[in-house]
Amino acid sequence: MERDNRMRDGAYITGVPGATQLLFAGGETMFHARDARHITLFGLTIAGAGNRLTGGTPGLVYLRGVSSLAMEDCTIAESPRSGLVLEYCGGHVGTCGISGCKDSGLFSLDATGLEITGNRIHHCGNNGIQVWRSRKGEDGTIIAHNRIHHIKALDGGGKNGNGVVIFRAASVNVTGNRISDCATSAVRSNAGSNCQITGNSCERLGEIALHAESGFEGAVIANNVIDTAAAGISIANFDHGGRLAVCSGNVVRNLKFHEDGSETDGRGAGISVEADTVLSNNVVEGAPGAGISIGWGAALRDVSATGNVVRDAGIGIAVSVAPGAGKALIADNLISGARDGAILGMKWRQVATGDLTAEGAEAVPGIAIERNHVS
C-alpha cells in the first residue's frame, strides 16, 4: 500500500463540507488505515475522478482494524469499486453521501460496534449497504435513518441489487430508513439471526421488498411500509434453518407478477412465512397472488396468523396442506375481495382444497381456522 495514503492512529483530516474536494489520481486507494484506534474524517469530498483502483483494493476509502472511526459530513463519489470499505471496524459513519460507486456504497466485514446513520447512498452498481461476517456471529451494527435509492444489480440479482444486505451477521438493527428503487430488495437478511427490520419506508422494489432467509434463528420485521414491489415480505427457507420470527404491524400494497403473469420467486404475494412465526396485525392490499402465504410444501411449522387485514388479493390466505406440513392457527383475520377464495389449502402452487371458510368446509388436520371475517 502506498505510504502517502496510509493514515496513522489518531489521524484527523477535516475540510469544509461541499468545498474541500480530493480527486483520486489512481493507485491502490485514496485513503487507507490499518490497526488504528482513532481515525476522524470530516467534511471531505472524495471523488474517483474516473481513475482505476489497482492491486485489488476493494474501495476508494479502505479502513481495516479501526476501532473508533468517526466519519461525518463526507462525500464519496464515482468509485470504480466500492465507496467505503470497513473491515474489523467500529465507530460511526453519519450524514455522509455515497453515490456512483460501481459496486457497493458501503461494505462492512466483521464489524466491532458500528453505527451507520443519516447517510445518503444512491446510484450504486450492486448494493447500498452491505454488512457481512466471515463466519456466522454477533455483529450488532445499527443501520438507521439512511436514505438509499437507485441501486442496480450489475453483477446479477439475489445478493446484489439490495438497499441493505446482511450476510451471516447477527443482531443487526435496520430501522427508520427510506429505501426505494432497488433492483432486488430493500433489505435482505441471509443467515442473520436476531436481526430487527423495523419502521422502514420501502418503495419500488424489483423483487421481495423485505427478506429474511436461510440459516437464521430470530427475526423481527415490524411496522414497515412497502408500496410497489414484486412481493412484500418473505420469511423463508425453513429447510435451510430459517425459523423463529415476528412479523407485525406492516403495511404492504401494490404487488405484481412478472409481465407475463407468472408468479415465480414468490412474486405477487404479500407476506410469506414458514416456521415458528407470529404473523399479526398486518395490512395487505393489492396482492395478485396470495395476500398471506403460510408454508411451502412440507416447510410449515407452528405459525400463528391473527388479526391481519387482507384486501383485494387473488387468494386471501394460502396455507400449505402438502405432505409433511405442520400446524398453523389462522384466526380473527379480515379478508375482503379475495377473488379465488378467502383461505385455501395449497400443495406448493396448486390449490388442493375448497375455500376453508365456507360453511361445511372440510377440516384439515393441523390447521385451525377460527373466527375469520370474509366479504
Side-chain angles (χ1 to χ4, degrees):
M1 195 63 63
E2 296 180 8
R3 179 181 293 268
D4 290 345
N5 293 347
R6 178 78 65 88
M7 293 181 289
R8 300 297 188 258
D9 182 27
Y12 190 106
I13 304 176
T14 183
V16 178
T20 303
Q21 298 191 26
L22 306 174
L23 304 182
F24 181 53
E28 293 188 0
T29 188
M30 184 73 177
F31 283 117
H32 175 63
R34 182 184 293 267
D35 300 328
R37 290 176 299 170
H38 302 285
I39 296 290
T40 299
L41 300 174
F42 175 82
L44 307 173
T45 295
I46 302 165
N51 291 303
R52 295 189 305 115
L53 287 164
T54 62
T57 306
L60 198 58
V61 178
Y62 176 37
L63 308 179
R64 182 182 175 91
V66 178
S67 56
S68 182
L69 168 67
M71 184 172 183
E72 297 186 6
D73 288 335
C74 291
T75 297
I76 300 175
E78 305 300 329
S79 172
R81 294 177 186 158
S82 292
L84 174 62
V85 175
L86 307 175
E87 297 180 356
Y88 316 103
C89 290
H92 181 232
V93 178
T95 61
C96 293
I98 304 176
S99 64
C101 301
K102 187 175 180 181
D103 196 359
S104 296
L106 189 159
F107 178 89
S108 168
L109 177 70
D110 294 332
T112 58
L114 184 63
E115 295 185 4
I116 304 167
T117 64
N119 302 286
R120 305 168 307 283
I121 300 174
H122 57 95
H123 291 91
C124 293
N126 280 317
N127 290 293
I129 297 173
Q130 290 181 266
V131 176
W132 283 29
R133 295 198 74 82
S134 52
R135 296 180 181 178
K136 288 179 68 173
E138 186 171 343
D139 189 276
T141 293
I142 295 172
I143 303 168
H145 307 299
N146 302 283
R147 293 180 178 270
I148 304 169
H149 59 92
H150 288 95
I151 306 299
K152 298 179 181 178
L154 295 181
D155 294 334
K159 68 178 182 179
N160 298 309
N162 306 286
V164 176
V165 58
I166 299 162
F167 180 54
R168 295 193 292 224
S171 303
V172 176
N173 191 327
V174 183
T175 186
N177 301 283
R178 174 75 170 90
I179 306 174
S180 65
D181 301 287
C182 299
T184 307
S185 299
V187 182
R188 189 181 194 96
S189 176
N190 185 306
S193 295
N194 299 331
C195 290
Q196 298 185 59
I197 303 169
T198 60
N200 301 286
S201 176
C202 312
E203 295 187 1
R204 297 180 299 279
L205 293 317
E207 297 293 341
I208 299 165
L210 302 177
H211 202 167
E213 61 179 352
S214 291
F216 71 90
E217 292 190 352
V220 174
I221 300 179
N223 302 329
N224 302 283
V225 176
I226 297 166
D227 188 347
T228 310
I233 298 170
S234 176
I235 302 171
N237 301 128
F238 180 40
D239 56 339
H240 290 86
R243 57 173 291 274
L244 201 64
V246 171
C247 180
S248 177
N250 301 286
V251 175
V252 180
R253 59 196 301 257
N254 295 329
L255 309 172
K256 59 189 177 183
F257 287 145
H258 279 283
E259 291 183 1
D260 63 6
S262 65
E263 53 180 309
T264 56
D265 301 323
R267 280 179 174 256
I271 301 175
S272 301
V273 301
E274 291 183 0
D276 310 338
T277 296
V278 169
L279 176 67
S280 66
N281 303 317
N282 302 283
V283 178
V284 178
E285 181 179 78
I292 292 173
S293 178
I294 301 172
W296 179 254
L300 168 60
R301 186 177 75 182
D302 298 345
V303 171
S304 172
T306 61
N308 301 286
V309 174
V310 179
R311 302 187 67 256
D312 186 25
I315 299 170
I317 299 176
V319 58
S320 180
V321 296
K327 296 179 180 179
L329 168 65
I330 305 172
D332 298 308
N333 301 286
L334 191 155
I335 303 168
S336 174
R339 294 177 294 279
D340 301 322
I343 301 177
L344 297 178
M346 307 291 293
K347 292 183 177 179
W348 294 274
R349 297 192 188 281
Q350 301 300 315
V351 176
T353 70
D355 193 329
L356 298 175
T357 66
E359 186 175 350
E362 61 190 290
V364 178
I367 309 298
I369 298 175
E370 302 172 356
R371 301 182 305 279
N372 296 285
H373 300 272
V374 178
S375 62

